[in-house]
Amino acid sequence: PQQSLLQALSLLGSDDWEKKEKGLVSIKHLAGSHSEVLLPRRHDICLAVISEVTNLRSKVSYSAIVTLGEFFATLKKDMDSEVDEVVRVILRMLCNSPEFVEKAASRTLGIMVENVTPARAMTALLDSGVKSRHAQVRKCAAELLLSLLEKIGVTELAGTARAGRLAHAAGTLAQDCHKDTRHYGQQMVKMLMNHQKCKMLLERSIPAHDL
């Protein structure tokens, strides 16, 4: 496995896109079968894979996104420190990419939300997704934030520093121009309204007539 990893990283450094793709597929398999080999060099390997997400060859971009999904599925909370950068780069692929790349990006973000520490995922989505100019990115961020809120629970969220940020974001998303995004935002607002502290945070961050 150690030898395979070195070989895969060397392929990833190639200028030939087919070699890059081969390297990514190899790293993905290693993540699934020998994650202990990746762990000591997790950060460097993640950076190498992340840099291929924006590759102009959509096949390479797709392989990089799928590989990151495998990292989240197998390394789980060990990927917490990589979440911010991965979310920032993958959300960008939800606009103006071929459909199969967009689907892979959505799927990888879904796997990320399921496996890393919820608080890390929530912060990354609030930082990179909610204020995006692209409707598709806001929609994806809203859907994932709703699933995180359901996972964490309003009572637990109320006691954290993120509660105010999420309340503000939910209010903004609930008024989005995209109907799906509005739906996810409104669901979050409904859940937050059921908790006294979160209700106060909503009232503080959203003008009364909007609320």
Side-chain angles (χ1 to χ4, degrees):
Q2 200 70 48
Q3 199 54 47
S4 294
L5 177 60
L6 293 174
Q7 206 174 349
L9 288 170
S10 137
L11 287 170
L12 213 50
S14 162
D15 289 333
D16 180 332
W17 72 268
E18 287 174 318
K19 284 184 179 171
K20 278 186 190 292
E21 191 187 9
K22 199 173 166 189
L24 287 163
V25 169
S26 182
I27 289 173
K28 175 180 171 282
H29 288 321
L30 280 171
S33 56
H34 293 284
S35 56
E36 74 285 351
V37 176
L38 302 183
L39 269 174
R41 298 189 55 190
R42 184 200 63 235
H43 182 64
D44 295 339
I45 296 166
C46 277
L47 286 180
V49 175
I50 289 167
S51 68
E52 298 303 334
V53 168
T54 51
N55 193 298
L56 296 176
R57 279 272 179 187
S58 48
K59 271 186 156 183
V60 176
S61 172
Y62 171 82
S63 286
I65 292 167
V66 170
T67 301
L68 288 167
E70 186 65 41
F71 283 3
F72 284 122
T74 54
L75 302 177
K76 302 187 187 299
K77 290 183 170 59
D78 283 320
M79 284 291 286
D80 277 6
S81 55
E82 314 301 330
V83 167
D84 293 347
E85 187 58 19
V86 173
V87 169
R88 192 179 64 75
V89 174
I90 289 189
L91 280 172
R92 292 213 306 254
M93 303 312 291
L94 290 170
C95 14
N96 310 322
S97 295
E99 192 183 349
F100 76 103
V101 172
E102 287 182 11
K103 279 186 175 164
S106 287
R107 210 164 33 242
T108 288
L109 289 168
I111 297 170
M112 181 269 300
V113 159
E114 284 303 308
N115 289 289
V116 301
T117 303
R120 292 303 295 255
M122 185 174 277
T123 301
L125 290 163
L126 287 168
D127 287 345
S128 300
V130 175
K131 294 190 182 82
S132 172
R133 295 196 315 276
H134 297 281
Q136 193 60 26
V137 174
R138 294 195 307 276
K139 178 192 152 197
C140 180
E143 185 177 5
L144 294 171
L145 284 168
L146 174 60
S147 72
L148 281 166
L149 179 57
E150 288 166 348
K151 194 173 181 176
I152 295 170
V154 180
T155 309
E156 195 173 319
L157 177 82
T160 68
R162 280 170 303 283
R165 282 192 73 193
L166 186 72
H168 184 73
T172 306
L173 294 166
Q175 302 170 78
D176 197 85
C177 56
H178 191 289
K179 71 174 172 46
D180 289 344
T181 308
R182 277 202 306 279
H183 167 74
Y184 299 130
Q186 285 161 11
Q187 291 299 109
M188 283 190 271
V189 169
K190 276 183 198 165
M191 286 177 72
L192 294 167
M193 288 295 271
N194 288 327
H195 190 284
Q196 196 50 44
K197 186 177 176 188
C198 292
K199 189 179 175 191
M200 280 165 54
L201 289 169
L202 275 170
E203 287 165 350
R204 230 179 277 163
S205 60
I206 305 165
H209 61 90
D210 289 341
L211 194 53

